[in-house]
Amino acid sequence: MKKNYSPHGGRLPLVGLRAVEAVLRLGSLNAAADELCVTPGAVSQQLIKVETYLGIKLFRRTPQGLVPTETARRLAEHLHTGFRDIARAVALVEPPHPNSVAVSAPPVFAAKWLVWRLHRFTEAQSKLKISIEATTDFADLDDNRIDACIRVGRGDWAGTRAVHLADIRVFPVFAPEFANRIRTPADLLNIPIIRDAGSGFDWNHWLRPNDMDAAQLPDGPCYSDASLCLDAAIAGQGVFLSWETLSHDALRMGRLHALPGRFRTSSAYWFVENAQHTRSKPVQRFLDWLREELNACLE
């Protein structure tokens, strides 16, 4: 069989290039070593082999660690794309595990709602292996390693099959210490308002049905994550515009109170799959369980 040799006079050092890609992406020898399950010294040796093969330096060695050269930075995107495509190619020919479910979900949804209920599914489906990837990125549904995504939106993603799970309804929540001060919507004008800098939900979803406007609300602390905002509300820093999956358990445990009235936004939770893929029985069982749990939460 004819072997592939490079113009440099030797086989392409794929193991070394994988090490280079990991260091460039993760930023250090130690992090790359952890991901590749080898020692930092082994990663360092692979970097040296690639530099020798190419005849150029890819990293400057400094007391603070490795600093990529401009050449290395140019290589980074191409290496990342190349190894990602190799992984996808392998996934296409790997048969999916017959008793597994792999789902991608938003981190806040996974941490504040899903993880606290997942044991009920795994106990009932003891032979199934389930994995949850918590990420804000929309997973690559052409990759056989992910069966479906739980996502927030309108359900109109091209090339997908989106099953409606639940509408998102918003309402103000606050610590018990504010209970005597917040009895009507107008009382919000005298309480700090906690704002989520990354939220797609506007206070007017709840205020306008109550004949108020977000421009009337006072200032308050701002956080970059809804989970932090919820914790700030529990800590008594003010009032936060929450939704059911986020604050359900805190309300049930009495850690938060809420004003009456829950109003729909234009978004919902969706179970999103590749439109070309046939849903497996394990995935169908997970979807059925998920819808039951959400319905019970939103009643």
Side-chain angles (χ1 to χ4, degrees):
M1 179 184 292
K2 183 179 178 181
K3 299 184 183 297
N4 291 323
Y5 290 92
S6 80
H8 295 274
R11 294 183 188 178
L12 196 65
L14 288 177
V15 174
L17 288 171
R18 181 70 182 90
V20 171
E21 188 275 337
V23 172
L24 288 170
R25 174 166 45 83
L26 299 172
S28 73
L29 280 176
N30 288 336
D34 287 344
E35 180 174 285
L36 299 174
C37 299
V38 298
T39 65
V43 175
S44 181
Q45 288 300 313
Q46 290 297 333
L47 301 188
I48 292 171
K49 286 181 181 180
V50 173
E51 290 179 326
T52 301
Y53 170 85
L54 295 175
I56 57 173
K57 289 291 184 183
L58 295 175
F59 298 93
R60 289 189 293 107
R61 278 72 176 173
T62 74
Q64 291 74 37
L66 296 177
V67 178
T69 64
E70 185 59 35
T71 299
R73 292 191 179 95
R74 291 200 302 269
L75 278 177
E77 182 179 350
H78 298 290
L79 289 176
H80 177 66
T81 300
F83 282 106
R84 183 190 62 196
D85 289 345
I86 290 172
R88 287 176 175 173
V90 172
L92 289 175
V93 297
E94 283 184 335
H97 193 284
N99 291 312
S100 68
V101 180
V103 177
S104 170
V108 171
F109 177 84
K112 291 296 186 182
W113 189 86
L114 182 58
V115 71
W116 298 100
R117 292 159 175 79
L118 196 57
H119 67 280
R120 294 202 279 265
F121 177 76
T122 55
E123 289 169 359
Q125 305 288 339
S126 59
K127 294 183 179 179
L128 288 184
K129 177 184 177 182
I130 185 161
S131 60
I132 304 295
E133 178 185 84
T135 175
T136 55
D137 295 333
F138 199 100
D140 181 2
L141 293 174
D142 291 327
D143 188 336
N144 285 347
R145 291 175 297 178
I146 293 291
D147 294 301
C149 301
I150 299 169
R151 284 294 175 264
V152 173
R154 299 175 184 270
D156 53 358
W157 299 282
T160 69
R161 177 176 60 248
V163 178
H164 180 267
L165 294 173
D167 291 328
I168 293 180
R169 302 186 300 180
V170 293
F171 48 93
V173 298
F174 44 89
E177 63 199 68
F178 285 115
N180 291 330
R181 296 173 58 189
I182 305 175
R183 297 180 182 276
T184 70
D187 293 330
L188 297 177
L189 302 180
N190 302 309
I191 305 293
I193 300 298
I194 300 168
R195 290 175 172 84
D196 176 4
S199 177
F201 308 132
D202 191 288
W203 265 96
N204 282 326
H205 287 302
W206 192 87
L207 290 172
R208 284 178 179 164
N210 287 291
D211 298 320
M212 294 176 63
D213 189 272
Q216 299 174 264
L217 295 177
D219 291 334
C222 181
Y223 295 94
S224 62
D225 179 86
S227 181
L228 294 175
C229 291
L230 189 77
D231 289 341
I234 292 171
Q237 294 182 20
V239 183
F240 172 53
L241 185 71
S242 186
W243 52 96
E244 284 150 319
T245 57
L246 177 60
S247 57
H248 177 85
D249 291 338
L251 289 166
R252 179 177 53 83
M253 292 185 291
R255 302 180 72 191
L256 288 173
H257 290 193
L259 276 173
R262 301 186 177 191
F263 297 103
R264 286 185 173 87
T265 67
S266 58
S267 294
Y269 285 113
W270 299 84
F271 192 79
V272 187
E273 303 163 277
N274 188 316
Q276 304 304 316
H277 292 180
T278 300
R279 185 184 301 150
S280 69
K281 290 182 179 179
V283 174
Q284 182 64 57
R285 289 199 288 273
F286 179 75
L287 173 58
D288 291 342
W289 171 83
L290 186 63
R291 296 179 83 170
E292 288 176 5
E293 287 286 340
L294 280 168
N295 286 338
C297 171
L298 304 183
E299 287 178 350

